[in-house]
Amino acid sequence: MQTWVKAKRVGFCLSDKKRRKLQFLLFADLCRARGIEVIQDYVEAHPQTILLDPVPAMRRLSDRFQSYKLIQELQALDPDDQFCNPLYLELATGSQSDIVHLIKEQKLTFPLICKARVAQGSSAHDMALIFNEDGLRDVSLPCVLQSFINHNAVLHKVFVVGPSYFVVERPSLKNFTVGQSDRKTIFFNSHEVSKPESCSHLTERDEGASLSRGPSDRTIKFISRGLQASLGMSLFGVDVIVDNATGKLAVIDINAFPGYEGVPEFFAALLNHIETLLRERERNPDGRSPVVKMPGPHCWRLGAQEARAPSPASNRASSLARETWTAEEPPAGKRKSDSGCFRDFAIPPPTLCQSNCE
């Protein structure tokens, strides 16, 4: 008697650039080898589709005002004070004199990193390092100003894939003297500076400077689990540095669906996560049953540390995608915590944001 096997499909929607960069056709071949067909389709035509990353959550990460707020909320939930959100200032409008006043009021220190508000697209990686008040003329609004933290030119990129995460070390900006100086503004592309093969005068480590210790697995686990719980996302990256003065971990950016460069296990981890979700859907076909409780992400630290056995998990993406999203009201002063929901953003006035990186 002929036996019919229910087909399994995985759909994806990627730009041509991202598909080529990740060599995603290799992932399609890997899926087919395990009996899963890879297609592109419109998700609204299939309401039972499992969404790895709901669009509203990705939209939130495309706005640095929102993602920095999320880091701040997560920091407030950290009982052990394991990490911090560097002191920063959100700017939507304002003259140079207004910006100088806000910087002094908030006690930001030079040099300052200037980042565009929009965190995705061709110009999202274009940044500036500002060394004095005169350099604030180079600010393009809306943007985020962030006190620069010396971190011995080492960036740790955390790549999350469902219940797993990978930590990859990359080059980063070198140390600079704290306080105003006569240096002219340095314009740079963060993606180019932090490429694995990057070789730039901006990433030269001070002679005799000791290497910073890497972030602890406990701290990375707390951050990745917290962001997954708030966003309901499976595929994102977190950029972290270690303050060479205090040894404290600082989260400087969150990225939706990063490039996963330097993570050879990416496809295997992604397919394992997809199969976990499909098995959970088979056990709960109506999609309304509770998802599997997350026992804690598996960590691969590429380089010195060895891998531990992975743990299965699921996420809240499908239920989050069905929620209602409303416009966010422009805040007055410091914004209240609302990390349990995601909202379309409207450009607010300058917001002062406190931190405890000291």
Side-chain angles (χ1 to χ4, degrees):
M1 176 181 293
Q2 188 173 9
T3 302
W4 295 96
V5 179
K6 186 176 180 180
K8 296 179 180 178
R9 289 180 172 182
V10 172
F12 67 91
C13 183
L14 300 173
S15 66
D16 290 338
K17 179 180 178 180
K18 180 72 77 170
R19 185 162 57 245
R20 289 193 300 268
K21 182 177 180 179
L22 288 174
Q23 300 184 24
F24 222 73
L25 292 180
L26 296 178
F27 177 67
D29 293 338
L30 183 62
C31 287
R32 278 190 285 270
R34 295 203 199 176
I36 299 176
E37 181 184 2
V38 177
I39 60 171
Q40 261 184 302
D41 205 350
Y42 189 52
V43 68
E44 289 187 1
H46 303 82
Q48 292 301 313
T49 300
I50 299 173
L51 295 178
L52 292 184
D53 291 339
V55 173
M58 297 184 71
R59 185 183 298 120
R60 187 177 190 185
L61 291 188
S62 71
D63 175 20
R64 284 195 172 99
F65 286 12
Q66 292 287 327
S67 62
Y68 279 28
K69 174 187 173 186
L70 181 60
I71 297 170
Q72 197 169 35
E73 293 170 346
L74 185 60
Q75 181 187 350
L77 300 175
D78 176 17
D80 299 325
D81 197 25
Q82 303 175 71
F83 74 99
C84 68
N85 187 13
L87 205 62
Y88 73 100
L89 182 65
E90 300 173 354
L91 294 173
T93 59
S95 64
Q96 182 183 1
S97 60
D98 292 334
I99 296 173
V100 169
H101 173 74
L102 290 170
I103 288 173
K104 291 180 178 178
E105 186 177 59
Q106 184 65 2
K107 298 182 180 179
L108 271 70
T109 57
F110 287 94
L112 298 168
I113 289 282
C114 180
K115 305 177 183 179
R117 177 178 184 176
V118 178
Q120 292 183 350
S122 58
S123 62
H125 297 286
D126 292 333
M127 301 181 185
L129 193 60
I130 300 171
F131 295 91
N132 47 60
E133 292 180 4
D134 188 59
L136 294 172
R137 297 179 184 183
D138 299 317
V139 167
S140 297
L141 302 177
C143 70
V144 173
L145 293 181
Q146 189 177 56
S147 291
F148 180 76
I149 294 178
N150 285 325
H151 51 284
N152 291 335
V154 178
L155 172 69
H156 303 277
K157 297 190 76 71
V158 181
F159 295 111
V160 178
V161 187
S164 308
Y165 61 84
F166 307 79
V167 182
V168 179
E169 187 176 297
R170 294 279 182 82
S172 185
L173 294 178
K174 64 182 181 180
N175 297 337
F176 294 95
T177 302
V178 178
Q180 292 201 58
S181 69
D182 295 332
R183 282 178 175 265
K184 291 185 178 181
T185 299
I186 297 175
F187 299 93
F188 65 98
N189 183 290
S190 63
H191 182 71
E192 296 296 329
V193 166
S194 295
K195 277 189 173 181
E197 68 279 6
S198 176
C199 182
S200 167
H201 70 281
L202 292 177
T203 62
E204 293 174 353
R205 189 175 291 114
D206 292 342
E207 186 175 351
S210 59
L211 288 176
S212 301
R213 59 178 177 81
S216 70
D217 289 343
R218 182 167 178 248
T219 305
I220 296 301
K221 181 184 294 185
F222 176 86
I223 294 171
S224 62
R225 290 182 67 180
L227 291 175
Q228 282 183 321
S230 295
L231 293 168
M233 293 180 67
S234 296
L235 305 170
F236 61 91
V238 186
D239 291 347
V240 300
I241 58 176
V242 179
D243 188 334
N244 67 353
T246 65
K248 197 167 190 177
L249 187 71
V251 180
I252 58 174
D253 258 323
I254 311 173
N255 308 295
F257 198 47
Y260 290 94
E261 290 177 279
V263 184
E265 298 93 341
F266 169 57
F267 286 157
L270 177 58
L271 183 52
N272 288 339
H273 180 54
I274 288 172
E275 288 183 326
T276 298
L277 295 178
L278 290 173
R279 286 193 296 269
E280 175 62 18
R281 175 53 57 86
E282 288 175 351
R283 289 193 291 267
N284 304 289
D286 60 4
R288 292 190 294 269
S289 300
V291 297
V292 176
K293 292 183 179 179
M294 185 178 297
H298 160 56
C299 164
W300 284 280
R301 182 176 298 279
L302 304 184
Q305 298 191 17
E306 297 181 356
R308 297 193 299 268
S311 303
S314 187
N315 62 18
R316 303 184 301 141
S318 296
S319 60
L320 282 170
R322 291 192 291 270
E323 291 185 13
T324 300
W325 315 102
T326 57
E328 183 180 61
E329 294 295 329
K334 192 173 179 180
R335 289 185 268 196
K336 65 180 181 179
S337 172
D338 65 348
S339 60
C341 60
F342 309 104
R343 304 179 179 182
D344 295 333
F345 61 83
I347 294 181
T351 301
L352 304 179
C353 303
Q354 307 229 342
S355 178
N356 60 348
C357 268
E358 299 178 356

